[in-house]
Amino acid sequence: MTDSVTPSLAQARRVVVKIGSALLVDPELAAPREAWLASVADDIAALRASGTEVVLVSSGAIALARHALGMPHRALRLEEKQAAAAVGQIRLAQAWSSVLSERGVTAAQLLLTPDDTEDRRRYLNARATLDTLLGLGCVPVINENDTVATAEIRFGDNDRLAARVAQMIDADQLILLSDIDGLYTADPRNDPDAQHIPVVGAMTAEIDAMGGAPPPGYSSGGMRTKLVAAHIATDSGCAMAIALGKRPHPLAALRDGARCTWFLPGTDSRSARKRWIAGGLTPMGDITIDDGAIRALVQGGSLLPAGVTMVEGEFSRGDLVRVVSKTGDELGRGLSAYKAEDARRIAGRRSEEFESVLGWQGHDELIHRDNLVLL
């Protein structure tokens, strides 16, 4: 891969930078690493001065509150995490606001839940807010709203949140600052023969298999969630980098060519609506289809109930579902025109049978091609 096709932070128009708790918080003091934070703020101010719009996705709220609440190391129950987030979000926002304002940059805070990215109306509202803030010269600082998130409905890590935000605002680059300088063929902490991969041209099963277990400590991510983020970002036409964040001025180092792994963006010919569908994080069910239906989808058709062999999960009309083969391979994602109960009743049937089965005549398609994305 030549340098001419490898992305460069120096050329970024709009970039999302994700920073995890393990980088931002000193675990002994449960306080921000002030010198490091100042160096990142210098980098952000330099990017803004060069014309690059910057959005931060920053962890650290719960970690910043642990000592103050007398629970520095033990595992927290859900309600304790929510309480810690309520205390820590104030500290996190103050830390970013203070260090950025010293450099003439205005910070803004947004707290998001998966519902804010999975519900189309809320997704568009969040995008409009972010576009307005960027137009006003602000640096939005985003985190998951852990004060209200439940165990069942949450991102669980900010890698995927950052990728969804990058998709939302049409960022051309997503930077995941990490405790490692990129993707390796194996975990370099355990395998001395692990080789660094400077560029990933496309996400494949082989690349996915390189994701390992999350590291210990405050971090909840690890390489596995970064590769999930890479799927979301690159499918949206956004380049992504995994770069070493521990060093001072990590963004300046990346701009100047420091070693990292770049994931190249795919050719993004989808509409904004289809990019939103493809990036959905919480499918509510699975629809298994036969070989004839697969051929119809590949040729650009809609998914008809006649080609459905099984419907799993509980979902409502308009919910995101996966479309899978008989062997369980994910073929695509789409918005169902029927709730799960009705979809099961018409599975395998032709449209002229719907009225006698349901008592009313519904859509001919279970998923219309305009609401379907093949992966």
Side-chain angles (χ1 to χ4, degrees):
M1 191 65 63
T2 63
D3 291 340
S4 61
V5 299
T6 302
S8 168
L9 182 58
Q11 300 170 348
R13 170 191 59 86
R14 178 175 283 184
V15 61
V16 176
V17 180
K18 180 265 179 178
I19 296 172
S21 298
L23 293 176
L24 187 138
V25 180
D26 184 326
E28 297 302 322
L29 302 176
R33 291 186 169 99
E34 293 183 0
W36 181 86
L37 191 63
S39 78
V40 174
D42 286 339
D43 293 351
I44 293 169
L47 286 170
R48 291 288 300 125
S50 68
T52 301
E53 296 176 331
V54 181
V55 174
L56 289 174
V57 175
S58 176
S59 306
I62 293 175
L64 288 172
R66 280 176 170 269
H67 276 252
L69 297 177
M71 43 190 184
H73 299 299
R74 64 178 176 84
L76 303 182
R77 301 189 304 273
L78 174 61
E79 60 271 19
E80 291 177 325
K81 288 182 179 180
Q82 292 173 321
V87 173
Q89 282 294 352
I90 296 174
R91 299 183 177 204
L92 181 64
Q94 286 176 336
W96 280 115
S97 179
S98 175
V99 75
L100 288 172
S101 66
E102 291 173 359
R103 290 151 181 85
V105 178
T106 301
Q109 183 187 49
L110 279 83
L111 300 177
L112 299 178
T113 67
D115 284 345
D116 297 318
T117 64
E118 305 302 282
D119 178 87
R120 182 66 175 168
R121 179 180 60 82
R122 293 166 70 173
Y123 175 93
L124 293 174
N125 287 341
R127 184 174 73 179
T129 299
L130 286 166
D131 280 340
T132 301
L133 287 169
L134 290 170
L136 293 171
C138 300
V139 171
V141 181
I142 300 173
N143 195 6
E144 180 163 15
N145 193 352
D146 287 312
T147 60
V148 298
T150 66
E152 293 80 15
I153 307 175
R154 63 190 310 269
F155 290 99
D157 64 85
N158 273 351
D159 294 323
R160 291 183 297 173
L161 171 57
R164 201 66 161 127
V165 169
Q167 178 194 62
M168 178 187 293
I169 64 171
D170 294 325
D172 48 344
Q173 292 183 15
L174 166 62
I175 311 300
L176 304 183
L177 294 181
S178 180
D179 60 353
I180 193 170
D181 59 0
L183 179 66
Y184 285 74
T185 54
D187 189 339
R189 297 169 299 183
N190 303 323
D191 185 349
D193 296 323
Q195 298 295 310
H196 180 266
I197 302 174
V199 177
V200 174
M203 297 302 296
T204 64
E206 182 182 9
I207 294 296
D208 286 332
M210 296 176 189
Y218 286 142
S219 176
S220 61
M223 192 57 66
R224 188 179 305 277
T225 62
K226 289 173 176 54
L227 295 181
V228 173
H231 276 281
I232 298 170
T234 58
D235 281 350
S236 302
C238 176
M240 189 187 96
I242 299 174
L244 187 64
K246 288 182 174 180
R247 58 163 62 98
H249 299 286
L251 296 175
L254 179 63
R255 180 201 60 204
D256 294 339
R259 187 161 85 161
C260 68
T261 297
W262 280 106
F263 296 79
L264 301 186
T267 302
D268 183 23
S269 60
R270 298 170 180 163
S271 67
R273 178 177 175 82
K274 289 206 171 186
R275 291 198 300 271
W276 169 70
I277 292 172
L281 300 176
T282 55
M284 303 302 292
D286 285 358
I287 296 177
T288 304
I289 63 175
D290 60 25
D291 293 341
I294 293 175
R295 288 192 293 271
L297 297 187
V298 171
Q299 293 170 4
S302 299
L303 176 58
L304 303 180
V308 174
T309 61
M310 184 165 54
V311 176
E312 299 176 278
E314 295 300 328
F315 50 87
S316 300
R317 179 182 176 186
D319 279 348
L320 180 70
V321 296
R322 299 195 318 153
V323 179
V324 300
S325 69
K326 290 182 289 186
T327 57
D329 296 321
E330 183 174 2
L331 306 172
R333 295 184 175 196
L335 306 180
S336 176
Y338 290 87
K339 64 180 181 180
E341 178 184 354
D342 292 336
R344 278 189 275 269
R345 295 171 67 187
I346 61 175
R349 296 181 180 271
R350 307 184 71 83
S351 58
E352 55 264 27
E353 302 177 76
F354 293 176
E355 187 169 5
S356 62
V357 172
L358 299 174
W360 46 276
Q361 184 64 44
H363 294 282
D364 290 346
E365 308 89 358
L366 182 54
I367 303 177
H368 193 276
R369 63 183 180 182
D370 291 344
N371 293 324
L372 176 69
V373 177
L374 298 184
L375 300 180

